[in-house]
Amino acid sequence: MPLPVRFGRAPHLLPLLAVIALLATPPLGGDGAATAADAACGLLVVWAVLRVVRSGERPLSRRAALVMGLPVTGICVAAMGAADPSTAIAGLGRYLQIFVLVPLAVLLLLRDRDDFRLAAAAMVALALVEGGIGVQQYLTTTGASYMGEDIRAVGTFGATDIMGMATVVSCGLLCAVGLALDPAPGASRARRRAALCCAALLLVPLAVSFSRGAWIATAVASCTMLLLSGVRRALVVLAALAAATVVLVGASGSGGKMLQERLTSITQVESAPDQSVTDRYTMWAAAELMWRQTPLTGVGLKGFPDHRDAHSSLALSAGSDTAGAGAAFRRQPLLSPHNMYLLVLSEQGLIGAVTLAGGWAALLVAGVGRLRQARASRAPLDCALIATGLLTWLLVDFFYGDIGGPSTPLTALVLGLAAWWSLAARGAART
């Protein structure tokens, strides 16, 4: 652990830490059902409301209320335009949970930088646990099926949520990098080295997750954090990482060959796409066509699956094959375009895209602005780097994925941490 866990000084963070700890638990009622982490999210929101009522203080600035409340407009309009009211209500609750309520609760509960660092350390701990399980799956061929072998590291998320472990590991890695690049005041060299070791260790499970989207997003976010911490340092670290990657791939035997093929496939998505890439392109085209037909409001919340076949070409397969990690072979239906921006555009139209993505852009711009202010005042940059890195990762990953699965509450926590750094009272962000 890069930071000591001081639960005694932060009992108000227990619901937040509970969400992180329960992220890896399986759904309570099978695939697609609510998880223990979702239940903890509800407790987190209630806890934050009670603290606000008890304090009697104005909880948000006008800017924070505008940015955090902006997505509500598009989500509600899309829910009213849905064909199935019951599905729309379920989607409304999910979207409000992930993009409004939980991020707001995190923003309201974090009091200072130490609270932020504790949450970041908890993410690192969860990533180490999940990553350790994932590496064991890879070494013992008990993971999810990949190219005919059960070697894909998925942690406790299973074959039906192959992005879950990669998401957790990526976020934990970025938190560790931020804590190492600019440690908290008074942090010892041993603690900084521990953070660096955690980041290095998490590269292994990220590699054997075989998730191209997570690789790209992590690389972009890490480079952003390094450049924001200093150009000279960024060049040195990137050179070291390149050398370490060559050694890691070369020493991983047959798995190294698969890694090389997976890396090479990133540059071949246009010339020689595999079926998964073809499916993704087809669903992207379907989402774009839905939006063009209803540009302002989209087809309605949770409406993509019902309109998919009518807007897709024959190149789309019936679904993706999943197996391994303790699960039998099954055909998993493709119910989303695997691109959050296109999903919002197709289901919520321009209203939803502007309000939802506009809020994310506002967080990023405000966060980078506060980072520059912190550097000018020579304040610690660890929280700034972590918040900016996590948000950058999320915005890049949204080009390759969307919300869904047991790991989804982590998206809400990432937005909450970014919102705290970007929108919290300046006094809280400076302490």
Side-chain angles (χ1 to χ4, degrees):
M1 285 289 294
L3 284 176
V5 181
R6 295 171 288 178
F7 295 103
R9 69 165 297 276
H12 61 287
L13 292 182
L14 289 179
L16 172 58
L17 299 176
V19 174
I20 296 174
L22 294 172
L23 272 169
T25 57
L28 301 176
D31 294 341
T35 66
D38 290 321
C41 284
L43 176 62
L44 175 66
V45 172
V46 172
W47 187 265
V49 171
L50 291 177
R51 283 184 56 84
V52 169
V53 173
R54 183 178 179 182
S55 67
E57 300 176 356
R58 181 179 178 179
L60 298 172
S61 66
R62 291 181 179 178
R63 183 175 69 167
L66 176 62
V67 172
M68 300 305 293
L70 195 61
V72 177
T73 303
I75 296 171
C76 290
V77 170
M80 290 187 292
D84 185 351
S86 60
T87 303
I89 292 175
L92 176 65
R94 188 62 161 169
Y95 270 79
L96 290 179
Q97 172 200 352
I98 301 304
F99 297 115
V100 181
L101 298 178
V102 174
L104 261 177
V106 175
L107 170 60
L108 295 173
L109 284 180
L110 295 181
R111 299 183 304 191
D112 52 32
R113 289 173 181 262
D114 285 340
D115 285 355
F116 187 104
R117 291 167 185 140
L118 184 56
M123 283 191 179
V124 176
L126 175 66
L128 289 172
V129 172
E130 283 293 329
I133 296 173
V135 171
Q136 183 184 25
Q137 291 171 335
Y138 171 75
L139 295 175
T140 60
T141 62
T142 56
S145 178
Y146 176 75
M147 296 184 68
E149 298 184 50
D150 293 342
I151 60 171
R152 189 166 194 170
V154 291
T156 61
F157 294 94
T160 57
D161 187 17
I162 56 175
M163 284 294 296
M165 190 213 72
T167 298
V168 169
V169 169
S170 298
C171 291
L173 189 154
L174 294 174
C175 288
V177 168
L179 294 170
L181 286 176
D182 199 290
S188 64
R189 288 186 177 180
R191 193 180 301 171
R192 184 175 185 178
R193 289 172 182 170
L196 282 173
C197 288
C198 289
L201 288 173
L202 290 173
L203 287 174
V204 180
L206 180 61
V208 296
S209 71
F210 295 100
S211 174
R212 291 172 294 198
W215 291 348
I216 294 171
T218 303
V220 173
S222 298
C223 290
T224 301
M225 296 170 69
L226 286 168
L227 290 172
L228 290 173
S229 69
V231 177
R232 183 178 300 178
R233 174 190 285 177
L235 295 175
V236 173
V237 174
L238 289 175
L241 283 176
T245 301
V246 172
V247 174
L248 176 64
V249 173
S252 54
S254 61
K257 183 179 179 180
M258 291 186 177
L259 283 173
Q260 293 176 19
E261 293 175 352
R262 191 67 165 171
L263 284 169
T264 303
S265 70
I266 294 175
T267 62
Q268 295 176 338
V269 293
E270 291 287 351
S271 58
D274 55 30
Q275 185 58 50
S276 65
V277 175
T278 300
D279 286 340
R280 187 162 300 188
Y281 283 166
T282 304
M283 290 189 294
W284 286 3
E288 182 184 2
L289 183 57
M290 292 178 202
W291 167 67
R292 288 185 181 278
Q293 292 180 352
T294 50
L296 192 60
T297 60
V299 297
L301 212 57
K302 293 290 186 178
F304 181 87
D306 295 332
H307 293 78
R308 182 199 64 183
D309 293 341
H311 296 80
S312 299
S313 69
L314 295 177
L316 182 66
S317 64
S320 60
D321 298 336
T322 61
F329 173 85
R330 60 174 295 187
R331 193 76 167 162
Q332 192 170 3
L334 302 173
L335 301 178
S336 74
H338 295 291
N339 180 307
M340 192 66 206
Y341 303 106
L342 288 176
L343 177 62
V344 172
L345 199 60
S346 63
E347 293 187 344
Q348 303 181 34
L350 286 175
I351 295 177
V354 170
T355 55
L356 199 57
W360 303 335
L363 288 180
L364 185 61
V365 171
V368 172
R370 281 202 166 179
L371 187 150
R372 292 177 177 175
Q373 294 174 4
R375 178 185 285 113
S377 61
R378 296 187 177 182
L381 296 179
D382 53 343
C383 297
L385 293 174
I386 293 171
T388 305
L390 288 175
L391 185 57
T392 300
W393 184 93
L394 189 65
L395 297 182
V396 174
D397 185 70
F398 274 167
F399 284 103
Y400 310 98
D402 46 49
I403 59 173
S407 60
T408 300
L410 186 59
T411 300
L413 297 182
V414 167
L415 289 172
L417 292 176
W420 181 84
W421 173 254
S422 301
L423 304 173
R426 293 191 177 186
R430 288 176 178 172
T431 55

